[in-house]
Amino acid sequence: MPAAGTGGLIRRAAWRLRLVLLFAALAALPYLLSYSQQEIAVLLVINVLLVSSYRLLTLTGEWSLGHVVIMGVGAYTSALLAKQAGVPVPLSMLLGGAMAAGTAALLSFPLFRMKGFYFLIGSFAAGEIIRLIWKRFTDPFGGPKGLKRIDPFPDIETGFLSIDFYEPVNYYFLALAVVSVSLFVLYRIERSRIGLTFHAIHWQDRLAESVGVDTFRYRTLAFVIASFFAGIAGGLYAHYVGAVNPTRFSVDQMVYVLVWAIVGGTATFHGPVLGVVVLTVINEIVLRALGLDTARPLIYGLILILAVLYLPNGLESLGPRLRALWQRRRGEPAAAGREPA
Amino acid sequence: MDLLWQTAVNATYAASYMALIAVGLVMIFGVMGVINFAHGELYMLGAYCVVFLYAQENFPFLLAVAAGLVFVGLVGIVMERTMFRPLRDNPLGGLIASIGFLLILQTLVVFGFGRRMGHVPPSTQGKTEIFGAILTHQRLFVIVAAILLLAALWAFLKRSKFGRALRACAQDAEAASLQGISLNQTARMAMFIGAGLAGVAGALTAPLVSPTPYIGHSIIVTAFIIIIVGGVGSLEGAVIAAVLYAFVHTFVTTFFDGVIANIVGLALMLAVLIVRPTGLFGARERA
């Protein structure tokens, strides 16, 4: 046993080392970027939380088209609480998350009567209704123009330390901290009994039911947890950008989330994160540098189609695939004799 | 009373082109099991056929409409061959791929015609008065064309050998292919008809709506509502639901406003999904 024990220890140490390196790289990152790239980095961090929370929902096998609207519920709630009720901003963000979770809990009654394609369309309809309500009712939602001049995250001012969150670098670290904690929680949930039950519902819902799992309650639970974190992402967004409007949470934006998740692959925790990071870098940095702004949707569309056709398990499957290819190459001399071309 | 009657006439016009779009979408779903998210963009493409051939190149309006039907139908065949056929066992993949295709179509039209509204002059100035309500001939033309096309489709599906093969595939693809029906051929045909109907709807209404490259969004939302209410996979249901939806939407728009009408439409769909998840006329759920 001691051998296995040290092996595990080494592996765990290597994993920790990698995590430390990752955080070091993330901490150094904003200083290597231009101002506008720093702003993109902030939004990217927020989108990582959005797409990771979306993945939790897809664990149970349901694909929603309302996730961005749920994010909007968090954004609108937090903005309104801060603007009109004077709630301090960090608290208002949490309440925004809670509101998003509550909305999800309420929506689960009609939506989880449906499955698959019907759930997809049902979630789309529910989301559109919420979005149109924001658009229609100027008081308090601001109508089509939305809410402007949302209170920013309060500056930290102590004697020797002063942090102004208007600076993208500082907001980047704030978002990074919030998102890291959230991802850790999401990860733990997936590895817990609850997470295993989600998987069971996805692959064998009849079997799970027959051994006494209340699939409706677990689906709702996944939906509520995912929505809470989407709401937090919305709060982070609202107090960074300072403005929200109904168009920002339209189905076009949802398409992007879907693309990130699909292109990255939803089988593993890091898949969607990989998807959003790679596509954002391609989108914001490579395409912008090439001056292909108008062609961007076209290239996005092509990537999407090619990914679905040729990389159905997402970018995450690329690593293992290449490794397998590499190993086959190295084993080729031995295999070549057996298989005549 | 006049306003009521006028609104009913307007609703009839809306119902006729919505029925064309929804029937095409249902047909594609029926045979391939794929929800074509790019259906609204196929409508848009049809409208731009008229923008190009009729408004810019001065071909006759009818010819431009016919070209819209055929061209968009061919685009449908391309979609079938490149995306839906390889993804036959993966309905979600087909849906996602069609989202990608939608982005491509939008961008191509922006490249060709710009983002701004395309202006299409009316092809006829005439109007008819029916009991005090005014119906322009442009709209009348859409209504007549929709009725003729849907009748032709109905006859084709019920009478011809191809139509029977198509319905067989929609009922049970595996059993159909065991009878010697070619799935690929049938899917190609369904895609041509489904896309062509969306294209012709766009072409017919182009002078009435001032098309933009982004017009497909509201079209696909409407089409989803209609096919859900009508029951996914039921052609008759799609037609009836189109009429129902058009009347509800037009009346609420006239007496309240457009956004409220959209909310009512979506709520109607949600209510149908809750009470009868297979739609008012849908018989079964496709796995």
PDB file of all heavy atoms in Angstrom, chain B residues 20 82 86 101 109 131 178 249:
ATOM      1  N   LEU B  20     -47.361  28.924 -44.368  1.00  0.00           N
ATOM      2  CA  LEU B  20     -46.334  28.435 -45.290  1.00  0.00           C
ATOM      3  C   LEU B  20     -45.035  28.123 -44.540  1.00  0.00           C
ATOM      4  O   LEU B  20     -44.411  27.077 -44.738  1.00  0.00           O
ATOM      5  CB  LEU B  20     -46.041  29.486 -46.368  1.00  0.00           C
ATOM      6  CG  LEU B  20     -47.070  29.657 -47.479  1.00  0.00           C
ATOM      7  CD1 LEU B  20     -46.641  30.783 -48.402  1.00  0.00           C
ATOM      8  CD2 LEU B  20     -47.236  28.368 -48.259  1.00  0.00           C
ATOM      9  N   THR B  82     -25.033  18.536 -46.370  1.00  0.00           N
ATOM     10  CA  THR B  82     -23.807  18.817 -45.620  1.00  0.00           C
ATOM     11  C   THR B  82     -23.983  18.674 -44.115  1.00  0.00           C
ATOM     12  O   THR B  82     -23.022  18.375 -43.418  1.00  0.00           O
ATOM     13  CB  THR B  82     -23.321  20.256 -45.891  1.00  0.00           C
ATOM     14  OG1 THR B  82     -24.380  21.156 -45.590  1.00  0.00           O
ATOM     15  CG2 THR B  82     -22.913  20.438 -47.337  1.00  0.00           C
ATOM     16  N   PRO B  86     -25.242  13.837 -42.311  1.00  0.00           N
ATOM     17  CA  PRO B  86     -24.233  13.253 -41.415  1.00  0.00           C
ATOM     18  C   PRO B  86     -24.665  13.257 -39.950  1.00  0.00           C
ATOM     19  O   PRO B  86     -24.154  12.473 -39.165  1.00  0.00           O
ATOM     20  CB  PRO B  86     -23.004  14.146 -41.607  1.00  0.00           C
ATOM     21  CG  PRO B  86     -23.323  15.122 -42.648  1.00  0.00           C
ATOM     22  CD  PRO B  86     -24.729  14.972 -43.086  1.00  0.00           C
ATOM     23  N   PHE B 101     -25.438  27.583 -39.365  1.00  0.00           N
ATOM     24  CA  PHE B 101     -25.792  27.921 -40.746  1.00  0.00           C
ATOM     25  C   PHE B 101     -26.521  29.266 -40.811  1.00  0.00           C
ATOM     26  O   PHE B 101     -26.318  30.046 -41.734  1.00  0.00           O
ATOM     27  CB  PHE B 101     -26.671  26.805 -41.312  1.00  0.00           C
ATOM     28  CG  PHE B 101     -26.725  26.801 -42.801  1.00  0.00           C
ATOM     29  CD1 PHE B 101     -25.672  26.320 -43.543  1.00  0.00           C
ATOM     30  CD2 PHE B 101     -27.831  27.296 -43.476  1.00  0.00           C
ATOM     31  CE1 PHE B 101     -25.705  26.324 -44.927  1.00  0.00           C
ATOM     32  CE2 PHE B 101     -27.889  27.299 -44.854  1.00  0.00           C
ATOM     33  CZ  PHE B 101     -26.812  26.806 -45.580  1.00  0.00           C
ATOM     34  N   VAL B 109     -25.645  37.697 -46.391  1.00  0.00           N
ATOM     35  CA  VAL B 109     -26.592  38.707 -46.873  1.00  0.00           C
ATOM     36  C   VAL B 109     -26.118  40.107 -46.486  1.00  0.00           C
ATOM     37  O   VAL B 109     -26.249  41.056 -47.264  1.00  0.00           O
ATOM     38  CB  VAL B 109     -28.013  38.412 -46.339  1.00  0.00           C
ATOM     39  CG1 VAL B 109     -28.954  39.556 -46.655  1.00  0.00           C
ATOM     40  CG2 VAL B 109     -28.533  37.130 -46.952  1.00  0.00           C
ATOM     41  N   PHE B 131     -66.609  44.547 -47.449  1.00  0.00           N
ATOM     42  CA  PHE B 131     -67.466  45.013 -46.340  1.00  0.00           C
ATOM     43  C   PHE B 131     -66.797  46.110 -45.538  1.00  0.00           C
ATOM     44  O   PHE B 131     -66.770  46.077 -44.312  1.00  0.00           O
ATOM     45  CB  PHE B 131     -67.834  43.852 -45.408  1.00  0.00           C
ATOM     46  CG  PHE B 131     -68.460  42.697 -46.128  1.00  0.00           C
ATOM     47  CD1 PHE B 131     -67.838  41.462 -46.165  1.00  0.00           C
ATOM     48  CD2 PHE B 131     -69.675  42.852 -46.790  1.00  0.00           C
ATOM     49  CE1 PHE B 131     -68.416  40.400 -46.837  1.00  0.00           C
ATOM     50  CE2 PHE B 131     -70.251  41.793 -47.453  1.00  0.00           C
ATOM     51  CZ  PHE B 131     -69.617  40.564 -47.490  1.00  0.00           C
ATOM     52  N   LEU B 178     -37.092  -0.181 -44.921  1.00  0.00           N
ATOM     53  CA  LEU B 178     -37.219  -1.631 -45.159  1.00  0.00           C
ATOM     54  C   LEU B 178     -38.105  -1.910 -46.378  1.00  0.00           C
ATOM     55  O   LEU B 178     -37.975  -2.943 -47.023  1.00  0.00           O
ATOM     56  CB  LEU B 178     -37.816  -2.315 -43.932  1.00  0.00           C
ATOM     57  CG  LEU B 178     -36.824  -2.586 -42.805  1.00  0.00           C
ATOM     58  CD1 LEU B 178     -37.547  -3.164 -41.608  1.00  0.00           C
ATOM     59  CD2 LEU B 178     -35.720  -3.511 -43.261  1.00  0.00           C
ATOM     60  N   HIS B 249     -52.642  37.109 -32.295  1.00  0.00           N
ATOM     61  CA  HIS B 249     -51.561  38.084 -32.304  1.00  0.00           C
ATOM     62  C   HIS B 249     -52.014  39.405 -32.940  1.00  0.00           C
ATOM     63  O   HIS B 249     -51.752  40.482 -32.406  1.00  0.00           O
ATOM     64  CB  HIS B 249     -50.360  37.513 -33.063  1.00  0.00           C
ATOM     65  CG  HIS B 249     -49.113  38.313 -32.880  1.00  0.00           C
ATOM     66  ND1 HIS B 249     -48.775  39.347 -33.704  1.00  0.00           N
ATOM     67  CD2 HIS B 249     -48.126  38.234 -31.955  1.00  0.00           C
ATOM     68  CE1 HIS B 249     -47.633  39.869 -33.305  1.00  0.00           C
ATOM     69  NE2 HIS B 249     -47.215  39.216 -32.240  1.00  0.00           N
TER      70      HIS B 249
END
